[in-house]
Amino acid sequence: MFDNARRTHTCGELRPLDVGRRVVLQGWAQNARDMGGVVFINMRDRHGIIQVVADERCPDAVRQAAAGVHLEYVVEVEGTVALRASANPKLATGLVEVVAASVTILSRTPALPFSIEGHISANEDLRLQYRYLELRRPELQKNLIMRHRASLAVRRYLDSEGFVEVETPILTKATPEGARDYLVPSRVHAGQWYALPQSPQIFKQILMVAGMDRYFQIVKCFRDEDLRADRQPEFTQIDIEVSFATRALVMELATNLVRTVWKEMLDHDVGELPVISYTEAISRFGVDSPDTRFGMEHSDVTAQLRATEFGVVRGPLDAGGIAKVFVVKGGGASVSRKQLDAWTLFVRTYKLGGLLYGKVGSPWTGPLAKLSEAEQSAIIAASGAIDGDLVLLGAGTYAAVNAGLGKLRAAVAKELGLVPPGFSFVWVVDFPSFELDEESGRWMAVHHPFTSPRPEHIALMGTGREGEMFADAYDLVCNGYEIGGGSIRIHDPDVQSKVFAALGMTPEDAEQKFGFLLDALRHGAPPHGGLAFGFDRMAMLLCGTDNIREVIAFPKTASAQDLMSGAPSPVDPKQLRELHVRNTE
């Protein structure tokens, strides 16, 4: 397999057909056992594991050298392939072993901070500090290889569809796109700054103006935002843009990309992807990225409880709020009070005042027992609950109820083991163009300020009815994760200026922040649209993990630190002076 001076085979490729072959292997000692004159070494590289034996067939010097090998030493073994006396069906190489003719220690290691083999009990911070050790684990290496092969599948598919990969700048202009920028001071231009791109959004639109027609890029992006299990400060996007595009065209291209990747990586047929509106997603699931593998859909019971005398519910409804329920079926009534209390604290993190529950029966038990029988019957009719089910109810503002119950639905299903295996994809379309920021009282773009409103809604710009506008946008969701999102872009500079005005930008602000885009749009911009896939999330799903750090070679912690390299870190004051900046503390 390898054409080099020493290594003839990897540790994972030897089979019975190789018996009698003279081989040279190089790798790590996964374990070494001295059985009183007979030494067994399990050698490992990223291709697999092979057993090496030094016994009575070997010279004493070879057995002594083998006895000096310890855990995770790097070794070279020359020897002859033989059949094993006791086969190991757990190994692909389990029918053969290598009888050592020479054993050479290439590198030693001190005692390890944690065991690489088997289950790791060390905390995540320690594992990230010694990431180079954890990356020796076959599980993580398999993830990185899966990610590599998925990127190849993406490139092959997009190339076959006429896309051209074009690199866009990393040092660019700071533009407001919804999250905080990472900023880089300029040494040459005192007091001025570059920003690391949150996405190549403006550049890919300019490439459409430039006539590239179909562009893609697998690209690093940067956002200085709060982190979680499926988010990192630097992340990878599959960025796509198409000239003369319609929403249907972009969605078809993206759907076929997903079908291609899932088929090549997992031999999984994705099939047809359902399409639902944003309004329907919020109504049924409370969130715009629903996990559709299981039920427990929401039911709005605002009308049924409007006149209730149960004050905990009536108060939020009188204040203009809503009430929604979902049902935990199949033994949901056995959920403990401790779990219910934990769920109540959970929904409060989404600004929902509390969680009310009722265990359905004759009579009901729990706080919802205070509802009248007619109101309980109305909830049963709306939600399909039956005896033995658990009804969970939230009452409050529209945003808090949907967010709280929507996130709780997914958490409950996971906690109770109600999520079936497999993949469930859904397109979500017709998002609002704008949402009102409660603190500033200003409109904010739901996606980004370059998203085109639906053509029939453009006339509402500047009328004060921006909240009624829908965007020509679309998100692709898999198993509750938004893995792709995009829109038809604004190609008319007058419409783009109106959107900037709706967002509170003066013409001078817009020109200062986005002048080069507006200028490009004035020079013959084709209608265009695109989409960006979150490649890290795609890899996470393909690898069957729910932690994005498992598919990134060198991830950051939840506090955006690289514990292995020690970043971020102080720099020499001289460097700061050269960059015309100083620390305030």
Side-chain angles (χ1 to χ4, degrees), residues 247 429-434 446-447 451-454 457 469-474 487-488:
R247 182 172 81 178
V429 300
D430 291 335
F431 288 80
S433 288
F434 304 100
V446 171
H447 277 79
T451 298
S452 176
R454 297 288 291 169
H457 291 165
M469 297 174 62
F470 286 150
D472 211 354
Y474 32 83
S487 66
I488 300 302

Side-chain angles (χ1 to χ4, degrees), residues 174-212:
T175 56
E177 293 190 37
R180 289 181 295 272
D181 288 320
Y182 279 100
L183 299 174
V184 180
S186 170
R187 178 183 60 83
V188 177
H189 302 283
Q192 299 188 49
W193 301 75
Y194 299 103
L196 304 183
Q198 295 185 31
S199 79
Q201 180 61 50
I202 295 177
F203 288 102
K204 65 185 180 183
Q205 289 191 249
I206 289 175
L207 284 169
M208 296 303 99
V209 178
M212 285 308 300

Side-chain angles (χ1 to χ4, degrees), residues 218 260 281 384 396 505:
I218 300 180
T260 298
M505 291 188 206

Side-chain angles (χ1 to χ4, degrees), residues 163 204-205 208 213-215 240-254 452-455 472-474 486-491 525-531:
F163 284 82
K204 65 185 180 183
Q205 289 191 249
M208 296 303 99
D213 191 61
R214 290 191 169 198
Y215 142 94
I240 297 170
E241 199 76 9
V242 183
S243 290
F244 309 107
T246 62
R247 182 172 81 178
L249 173 63
V250 178
M251 289 171 62
E252 180 183 9
L253 285 165
S452 176
R454 297 288 291 169
D472 211 354
Y474 32 83
S487 66
I488 300 302
R489 321 303 186 188
I490 299 169
H491 72 280
H528 59 281
L531 173 138

Side-chain angles (χ1 to χ4, degrees), residues 198-337:
Q198 295 185 31
S199 79
Q201 180 61 50
I202 295 177
F203 288 102
K204 65 185 180 183
Q205 289 191 249
I206 289 175
L207 284 169
M208 296 303 99
V209 178
M212 285 308 300
D213 191 61
R214 290 191 169 198
Y215 142 94
F216 88 96
Q217 186 181 189
I218 300 180
V219 59
K220 279 287 187 184
C221 302
F222 308 85
R223 290 180 186 172
D224 185 6
E225 57 188 351
D226 295 334
L227 307 184
R228 58 192 185 207
D230 67 334
R231 182 183 286 169
Q232 283 276 294
E234 52 180 317
F235 56 96
T236 305
Q237 283 185 183
I238 306 168
D239 214 48
I240 297 170
E241 199 76 9
V242 183
S243 290
F244 309 107
T246 62
R247 182 172 81 178
L249 173 63
V250 178
M251 289 171 62
E252 180 183 9
L253 285 165
T255 296
N256 288 336
L257 185 149
V258 165
R259 288 188 180 126
T260 298
V261 172
W262 258 254
K263 183 65 176 178
E264 288 194 24
M265 297 301 100
L266 302 176
D267 196 24
H268 176 82
D269 293 314
V270 168
E272 294 300 315
L273 273 59
V275 180
I276 64 174
S277 70
Y278 169 88
T279 301
E280 181 182 351
I282 297 297
S283 173
R284 292 171 57 189
F285 307 103
V287 294
D288 60 10
S289 55
D291 191 337
T292 53
R293 290 176 294 173
F294 57 93
M296 297 200 302
E297 295 189 16
H298 292 183
S299 301
D300 193 313
V301 292
T302 305
Q304 293 89 330
L305 301 182
R306 179 69 68 191
T308 184
E309 295 184 2
F310 187 21
V312 180
V313 176
R314 179 69 174 269
L317 298 187
D318 286 347
I322 64 170
K324 294 178 79 174
V325 301
F326 71 85
V327 177
V328 183
K329 302 189 73 67
S334 64
V335 172
S336 70
R337 179 58 186 268

Side-chain angles (χ1 to χ4, degrees), residues 474-493:
Y474 32 83
D475 281 358
L476 181 55
V477 178
C478 178
N479 294 1
Y481 295 100
E482 179 198 328
I483 63 168
S487 66
I488 300 302
R489 321 303 186 188
I490 299 169
H491 72 280
D492 183 332

